[in-house]
Amino acid sequence: MEQTIYFEDYQIGSSRMTSGRTITETDFVVHAGHTGDFFPHHMDAEFMKTTPFGQRIAHGTLVFSVGVGLTASVINPVAFSYGYDRLRFIKPVFIGDTIKTRTTISAKEDDPKRPESGRIIERCEVINQNGDVVLVADHIYIVERRDKPKRLGLQRSGPPH
């Protein structure tokens, strides 16, 4: 779905929750193949039985990728992603866990490089089926302003050449 939302339209504190997605063994295998991360924490069930986790844990980057992907339901043609800050893996995710993502607008600020736009900070919290936050990150958007600042033109002091 496409929806135009200008910088001025974002409200701090507004939030939304995505639908859920169950993490499968296939997700582990495909993600390991894509990234080259075959660490035993993700791929060796027997090794992980000897750890406090007792079972394989999902790659943090897998949880991040799926969690962010769940939020991609609205296309805003006047915004683009500037990146993510403050990414933390809070709790492990296991095969069979179902995750969803809650996003909350946490800040609005001027963009020092682009006066015609502003920055929106969206807190992303990935939550498991028990209601536990398992991952958190701040998503930064660059969003066009509806009311663009007037640009000062250069004035010439003599007749045009």
Side-chain angles (χ1 to χ4, degrees):
M1 173 172 84
E2 185 173 299
Q3 186 177 15
T4 301
I5 307 169
Y6 289 97
F7 178 78
E8 295 88 347
D9 300 329
Y10 284 87
Q11 298 296 317
I12 293 175
S14 65
S15 66
R16 66 184 172 106
M17 183 75 80
T18 70
S19 59
R21 171 130 156 15
T22 302
I23 302 300
T24 67
E25 182 164 8
T26 300
D27 293 321
F28 278 43
V29 173
V30 169
H31 192 77
H34 284 161
T35 63
D37 182 350
F38 290 94
F39 271 44
H41 305 80
H42 317 301
M43 307 306 291
D44 186 337
E46 293 305 311
F47 168 75
M48 287 307 289
K49 286 179 184 176
T50 69
T51 72
F53 296 108
Q55 60 182 311
R56 290 175 286 169
I57 58 174
H59 304 74
T61 51
L62 167 63
V63 176
F64 176 68
S65 298
V66 172
V68 167
L70 289 169
T71 70
S73 59
V74 177
I75 298 167
N76 184 355
V78 297
F80 67 92
S81 178
Y82 191 60
Y84 293 84
D85 279 345
R86 302 169 49 116
L87 172 64
R88 297 290 181 267
F89 306 126
I90 308 298
K91 289 190 172 193
V93 172
F94 304 106
I95 293 170
D97 282 353
T98 299
I99 60 173
K100 54 188 171 184
T101 303
R102 176 176 51 227
T103 65
T104 305
I105 305 303
S106 60
K108 292 172 69 170
E109 54 192 46
D110 291 333
D111 186 322
K113 298 178 185 177
R114 302 167 193 86
E116 70 284 351
S117 298
R119 292 184 186 179
I120 298 295
I121 312 299
E122 176 184 67
R123 171 61 53 99
C124 297
E125 296 172 294
V126 179
I127 302 164
N128 69 13
Q129 70 277 5
N130 301 317
D132 299 325
V133 175
V134 298
L135 181 146
V136 65
D138 288 339
H139 188 189
I140 306 164
Y141 290 101
I142 304 298
V143 184
E144 289 180 24
R145 294 178 189 274
R146 176 184 293 106
D147 303 320
K148 309 229 184 324
K150 293 184 168 98
R151 295 189 181 255
L152 298 175
L154 296 176
Q155 296 180 350
R156 298 181 185 195
S157 59
H161 295 94

